[in-house]
């Protein structure tokens, strides 16, 4: 039998032993409870009909940041209660495009736009949710071309317009997925370990690599720095003209891409709560007026949802954005907001004449 003097230093030192046991026990507790608090990381695959990188069909995606929900990934990498393939020929088939505001991983599948529209339309409308976080018009247009070349027959395209940066963009190639090579990590490592690594190495707001506060060498003092409040940004006339010009180019590209009806649902980030005050006015109303004029010339439908959003707050005190684990009036749309959006879509008169014949899916693709 070994005497205490002959035991390894790590074992004979009670402090190190307690730290070791504590770290192991803590990791085990986190591993067991992480599904309650940590989002999941799901491998992605190239979806041939869309020609885009999507989450793996059939997977379950867990979101635990803003909102608290599980999302089932349907066919074509679509998040939520997507209609099964092949599509029902007796229903209207709408493709829903947008970024994270339309993707809806913050809410349960039965509260997403696709499910609520299907219910509110008495199951007459099937919505295929092609929205993907981080995408803009430069990503949607090539996917629209790919879908038109596939066997998926659509009757109309719907765009949820929340932020103007999604359309006021110069023409460029679709966004490249810079971390595609790390998909194997999602398959091999637990989600809490991936999230912990990201928290250490990147910032929480824009996922940029952070400068670690612990490193060898002297630390430069910033004590002399004085905090300055950000100045109010006033858009100059030439900036406004530039945004309208980019918007016009992108909408013209859309017109050239498809002959299907296109419906824009305008749901900007208002009303909003800023510094404790409710802001009712839309600061981009002039841009919206210009967009309406351009859309009318191109034959696109535009639905203004600002009044419905304001009425929800004024009368029912129900905020269309925000969650219990965040701040109401800030962030992504919740179930209330999606119900307003879905009701407007289900009641849109343009859809009364649909479904159209499959020949309406003829392509006029960009060369």
């Amino acid at each position: 039998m070994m005497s205490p003097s002959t035991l390894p230093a790590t074992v004979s030192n009670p402090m190190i032993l307690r730290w070791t046991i504590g770290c192991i026990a803590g990791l085990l507790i986190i591993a067991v409870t992480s599904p309650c608090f940590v989002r999941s990381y799901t491998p992605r695959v190239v979806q041939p009909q869309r020609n885009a990188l999507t989450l793996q069909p059939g997977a379950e995606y867990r979101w635990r940041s803003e909102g608290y929900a599980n999302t089932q990934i349907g066919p074509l990498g679509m998040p939520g209660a997507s209609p099964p393939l092949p599509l029902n020929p007796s229903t209207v088939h709408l493709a829903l495009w947008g970024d994270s505001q339309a993707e809806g991983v913050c809410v349960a599948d039965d509260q997403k736009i696709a499910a609520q529209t299907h219910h509110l339309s008495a199951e007459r409308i099937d919505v295929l949710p092609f929205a993907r976080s981080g995408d803009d018009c430069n990503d949607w247009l090539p996917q629209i071309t790919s879908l038109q070349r596939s066997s998926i027959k659509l009757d109309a395209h719907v765009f949820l317009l929340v932020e103007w940066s999604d359309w006021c963009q110069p023409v460029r190639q679709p966004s490249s997925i810079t971390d595609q090579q790390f998909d194997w990590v999602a398959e091999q490592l637990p989600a809490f370990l991936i999230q912990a690594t990201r928290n250490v190495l990147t910032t929480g707001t824009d996922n940029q690599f952070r400068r670690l506060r612990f490193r060898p060498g002297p630390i430069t003092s910033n004590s002399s720095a004085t905090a300055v409040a950000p100045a109010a940004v006033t858009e100059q006339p030439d900036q406004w003209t530039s945004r309208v010009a980019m918007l016009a180019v992108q909408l013209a590209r859309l017109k050239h891409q498809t002959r299907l009806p296109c419906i824009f649902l305008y749901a900007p980030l208002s009303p909003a709560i800023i510094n404790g005050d409710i802001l009712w006015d839309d600061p981009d109303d002039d841009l919206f007026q210009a967009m309406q004029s351009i859309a009318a010339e191109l034959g696109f439908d535009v639905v203004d949802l600002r009044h419905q959003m304001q009425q929800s707050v004024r009368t029912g005190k129900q905020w269309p954005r925000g969650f219990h684990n965040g701040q109401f009036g800030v962030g992504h749309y919740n179930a209330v907001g999606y119900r307003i959006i879905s009701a407007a879509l289900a009641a849109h008169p343009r859809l009364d004449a649909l479904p159209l014949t499959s020949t309406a899916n003829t392509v006029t693709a960009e060369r």
Side-chain angles (χ1 to χ4, degrees):
M1 182 175 179
M2 298 178 64
S3 64
S5 60
T6 60
L7 289 174
T10 302
V11 178
S12 62
N13 188 323
M15 180 65 71
I16 296 178
L17 182 61
R18 286 197 296 267
W19 272 94
T20 303
I21 295 175
C23 288
I24 295 174
L27 285 173
L28 290 175
I29 293 174
I30 294 173
V32 172
T33 60
S34 61
C36 296
F37 309 106
V38 181
R39 56 162 287 193
S40 62
Y41 288 86
T42 304
R44 292 162 300 174
V45 297
V46 175
Q47 214 297 315
Q49 285 96 331
R50 295 174 62 177
N51 192 26
L53 205 61
T54 67
L55 295 178
Q56 196 169 38
E60 185 176 72
Y61 182 73
R62 183 180 70 238
W63 186 253
R64 294 291 185 268
S65 180
E66 180 194 11
Y68 193 98
N70 290 352
T71 294
Q72 192 73 25
I73 306 303
L76 309 182
M78 298 178 293
S82 305
L85 298 178
L87 296 174
N88 184 351
S90 64
T91 60
V92 177
H93 308 143
L94 305 180
L96 174 65
W97 302 95
D99 55 14
S100 60
Q101 291 285 359
E103 188 180 35
V105 294
C106 302
V107 302
D109 285 350
D110 61 351
Q111 297 175 335
K112 290 181 172 59
I113 295 176
Q116 294 207 54
T117 302
H118 185 70
H119 172 71
L120 293 173
S121 66
E123 302 184 355
R124 188 177 64 90
I125 298 175
D126 277 330
V127 177
L128 282 70
F130 292 118
R132 190 174 58 169
S133 177
D135 279 4
D136 57 37
C137 59
N138 288 307
D139 302 290
W140 306 326
L141 296 182
Q143 293 185 49
I144 289 174
T145 299
S146 297
L147 282 172
Q148 290 176 141
R149 293 169 178 161
S150 73
S151 60
I152 306 299
K153 299 304 180 183
L154 301 171
D155 296 311
H157 293 286
V158 178
F159 300 89
L160 182 63
L161 176 52
V162 178
E163 299 176 271
W164 287 102
S165 57
D166 288 342
W167 284 95
C168 297
Q169 290 273 350
V171 178
R172 57 165 173 74
Q173 293 298 315
S175 301
S176 59
I177 307 299
T178 57
D179 58 349
Q180 181 180 355
Q181 62 270 30
F182 297 116
D183 279 347
W184 65 270
V185 174
E187 295 183 284
Q188 303 298 328
L189 299 180
F192 77 89
L193 186 58
I194 300 174
Q195 187 63 48
T197 303
R198 291 187 63 181
N199 289 345
V200 171
L201 298 180
T202 65
T203 60
T205 53
D206 52 12
N207 285 328
Q208 299 296 316
F209 281 101
R210 69 165 79 243
R211 295 182 60 185
L212 300 179
R213 290 175 293 177
F214 51 93
R215 61 183 185 273
I219 302 297
T220 303
S221 174
N222 293 324
S223 58
S224 60
T226 303
V228 179
V233 178
T234 302
E235 189 173 56
Q236 300 300 318
D238 56 339
Q239 294 176 322
W240 184 87
T241 302
S242 175
R243 295 175 73 189
V244 172
M246 288 188 290
L247 175 63
V249 169
Q250 296 288 12
L251 292 180
R253 290 180 67 205
L254 174 62
K255 182 67 175 180
H256 187 63
Q257 287 289 87
T258 180
R259 296 178 181 175
L260 292 179
C262 293
I263 301 171
F264 288 82
L265 304 177
Y266 185 53
L269 301 177
S270 64
I273 299 177
I274 306 296
N275 296 326
D277 296 326
I278 300 178
L279 300 184
W280 299 98
D281 295 332
D282 177 14
D284 293 311
D285 181 68
D286 289 346
L287 189 56
F288 173 69
Q289 300 299 330
M291 186 265 187
Q292 276 191 309
S293 177
I294 298 171
E297 294 179 2
L298 296 174
F300 298 154
D301 291 347
V302 180
V303 180
D304 187 357
L305 297 177
R306 289 176 294 182
H307 176 72
Q308 290 94 315
M309 298 294 179
Q310 291 181 3
Q311 286 297 103
S312 179
V313 177
R314 292 184 188 275
T315 59
K317 304 300 182 184
Q318 292 184 304
W319 282 91
R321 292 186 296 116
F323 296 85
H324 66 281
N325 58 343
Q327 178 182 339
F328 283 97
V330 176
H332 289 81
Y333 278 103
N334 53 34
V336 173
Y338 280 165
R339 185 166 64 248
I340 296 172
I341 294 169
S342 301
L345 181 57
H348 195 281
R350 183 70 175 267
L351 304 181
D352 290 340
L354 300 178
L356 305 177
T357 61
S358 59
T359 55
N361 211 2
T362 307
V363 182
T364 308
E366 278 193 66
R367 301 282 186 243

